[in-house]
Amino acid sequence: MLLKKLGDNNAQLQLNKVTNLKIAVKKLDGILIKPNETFSFCKLVGLPTKKKGYLDGMELSFGEARAGTGGGICQISNLIHWLVMHSPLTVTERYHHSFDPFPDDGRVLPFGSGATVFYNYRDYQFTNNTAHTFQINLWFTEKCLEGELRINEELDYAYHVIEKDHQFLKIAHQFYRKNEIWREKFLKFEGGKVVETELLTKNFARVTYQPDRWVEG
């Protein structure tokens, strides 16, 4: 979703984010990742500046949500990472936010499955260690940023990415959120037979709001 409710009084930052996304997407849409090549979000997008047309959007930095030039373009790296997790590409650099600042509103991906970027400090990279060529395609609909990952030859396997053990915890007057992100590799032409199960990441992050339900830790 392009526009989400994230706290109060940030409607303009949300609108600015859409402008930022459209600028950054032009640097990434249609990019090819050939065998042995590495994709670098920061290298391709570059430093977001006002001179390039970027506006103040919301960014999560140093433990708080605040306005920053180019804020919001992490939505692109989140989407690309979700696509890459469903492929045989190898993630070589990825970070996720150390805290959760807002309650879920229209969230479609599991908590902690994104990839934050901050130019020259935190990049999102993956390497193509396969014999295939991949292509990233990104586009906008009325309400959403959409994307797909293409490959030059159909594979006989695919992946499911699932969330497990999601829970809010309260520990010493502070709220936390945890979950696990797992991936199953299955054979497409053998009835979906699962041939590999892999734990991709365990998340544990501070929450800066009061969730509806929690467990005392």
Side-chain angles (χ1 to χ4, degrees), residues 9-18 56-58 66-68 71:
N9 303 319
N10 59 34
Q12 189 58 52
L13 294 180
Q14 286 284 298
L15 294 172
N16 290 354
K17 179 195 70 173
V18 177
D56 281 346
M58 182 172 292
R66 59 186 183 181

Side-chain angles (χ1 to χ4, degrees), residues 20 33 35 42-43 59 68 76 102 112 121 152 165 167 169 214:
N20 296 338
I33 307 97
C42 287
K43 182 178 180 180
E59 63 181 26
I76 305 172
F102 303 113
Y121 177 59
N152 64 336
D165 195 28
Q167 198 171 52
L169 300 173
W214 66 85

Side-chain angles (χ1 to χ4, degrees), residues 58-67 97-99 101-102 206 208:
M58 182 172 292
E59 63 181 26
L60 306 182
S61 179
F62 300 103
E64 63 180 4
R66 59 186 183 181
H97 293 296
S98 60
F99 69 105
F102 303 113
R206 179 173 57 90
T208 59

